[in-house]
Structures are given as structure tokens and as C-alpha cells.
Amino acid sequence: MMDPARFRRLTYWLLVGLFISASTACSGSLFKVKPAVDLPALPASAMTAEAGGARISVAPLLSDEESQSLFEVNLPLGGVLPLRLELNYKTGELPLELKRARLHLHDGQGHEWKLLSTKQAIARILKVNGVSLYNPQSRKQFEQEFSAYAIDLKTPLTTADRRRQGFLFFQTPDKFPVRSPRGLVLSIAGLPQPLEVKIN
């Protein structure tokens, strides 16, 4: 029978070895995210709404394949719905504070979908993919690459920058995978006039 002290030492070094192996195996980003600059132009099929000098366009929902191609993860499978949004403020007083904007997404059954911050979306991705052991630097790199896709609602629009685009991330009401939701409507308050975009 092994001596208890020797068993503890052996267990300790085994755990240290496993941690080092996991850290070195994940020296890059946790997932291979395409550079955000490679994002194609908003498709002509994007749904739009206009009021108070602001024009909002929302692209059709990302398919599982498109999500996998951009982020190397299937966001809809994890209950995360990415919506691509473009805001164009054509007329009106500037600067326009976007941090006051309040965004809500409802489906045809009247359920509200929770707007996720990029950190919340990332935490959801890691949980669904069972990623618990990783190099902190790898997570930081993934966060930076993933966050580059999110629309910036903290910086005001100015005369030099009247247009803003990026992704919003919403969680399904039941946290289950996204299953062809119907009647999705994105409403935005806090702009010069409220806007509502029927997505599908």
C-alpha cells in the first residue's frame, strides 16, 4: 500500500503536469475567429427602419454554418442569436449618445430575448462547449477577437462618424438552442425617435 504522503506528492505533481499541458496546448486563441475587418458588406436583404434621421438595418439571421465560419463556434446551438446591425444617422444634431439606447428583441409569442454583453456571450460559449481548463491568455485573445464584432454603443456618433455597425447577441428565452424563431422584432428606444425593425 502506498504511503499517504507519497500519494499526495504524486497527486500534486500529476495535477501540475495536467495544468501545464492544458496551458501549453491552448497557447493561441480558444477558437479561431476570423478578423472582423473581413466582414462582408451588409446584404441588400437586410431589414430596415427609419425615424428621426436615423436608419437602422438588421441583416438576416446568421446560419449555423456562417456562425461557425466567423467564430469557429455554433452560437445558435448555444442559445445565442447574433444579429448584425447597422446604424446610419443621416440628419440631426451631433454628437449622438448611443449609450442611452435601449434594445429589446421579442418573438411572435411575445417572449423577450435577453441582450447579452460580449462577456456574457463568451461565458455562454465556453459553458456550452465544455471549456473549463484553458490558458488565461488564450481566453483574453478570444475575448478581444470576438468583441471586435460587437457594435460599439458606448462611443457617441459624431460628424466624422455617422455610421456604426456590428453584432448584437441575444439569448433565447429558455436558453435552449435557437430553433427558427418567427416574428422577431427589434425595438430601439433612446434615439431621437424610437425605432422598430421586423426581422422576419
Side-chain angles (χ1 to χ4, degrees):
M1 188 172 183
M2 187 180 292
D3 176 54
R6 185 176 176 202
F7 179 77
R8 283 195 298 272
R9 283 196 303 274
L10 184 62
T11 304
Y12 171 78
W13 287 113
L14 181 62
L15 289 172
V16 168
L18 285 171
F19 179 77
I20 291 171
S21 297
S23 297
T24 55
C26 301
S27 55
S29 178
L30 292 177
F31 300 97
K32 189 175 181 182
V33 179
K34 276 189 177 179
V37 291
D38 292 346
L39 196 62
L42 205 69
S45 57
M47 306 305 287
T48 62
E50 195 166 346
R55 180 183 174 89
I56 299 289
S57 301
V58 181
L61 310 182
L62 282 176
S63 68
D64 296 350
E65 293 77 19
E66 289 173 313
S67 171
Q68 194 81 35
S69 172
L70 285 180
F71 308 113
E72 202 186 46
V73 288
N74 187 330
L75 294 178
L77 185 64
V80 178
L81 175 68
L83 292 183
R84 189 167 167 203
L85 181 111
E86 180 179 288
L87 168 62
N88 191 343
Y89 193 53
K90 299 186 291 184
T91 60
E93 292 184 13
L94 291 170
L96 177 64
E97 290 287 350
L98 298 179
K99 61 185 178 184
R100 296 192 184 115
R102 296 180 304 283
L103 301 103
H104 298 278
L105 182 68
H106 293 86
D107 59 27
Q109 286 73 45
H111 300 128
E112 181 160 358
W113 295 47
K114 180 183 177 184
L115 177 62
L116 300 176
S117 67
T118 52
K119 286 195 174 183
Q120 289 172 323
I122 288 166
R124 183 80 188 149
I125 290 166
L126 299 186
K127 181 178 180 181
V128 168
N129 286 276
V131 179
S132 55
L133 278 177
Y134 49 79
N135 183 328
Q137 192 60 38
S138 297
R139 175 169 178 157
K140 185 177 180 182
Q141 184 178 341
F142 174 58
E143 285 179 352
Q144 289 173 343
E145 293 170 350
F146 186 86
S147 298
Y149 279 93
I151 189 165
D152 178 11
L153 296 175
K154 294 180 181 177
T155 309
L157 289 180
T158 65
T159 51
D161 176 26
R162 287 179 172 267
R163 181 176 161 274
R164 190 77 47 84
Q165 73 162 321
F167 281 93
L168 297 169
F169 301 97
F170 289 92
Q171 182 176 280
T172 54
D174 53 12
K175 298 185 181 179
F176 289 162
V178 178
R179 296 180 298 268
S180 303
R182 303 304 303 166
L184 288 174
V185 176
L186 178 69
S187 58
I188 306 174
L191 296 178
Q193 287 185 27
L195 281 163
E196 194 173 87
V197 186
K198 294 182 179 179
I199 299 169
N200 62 2

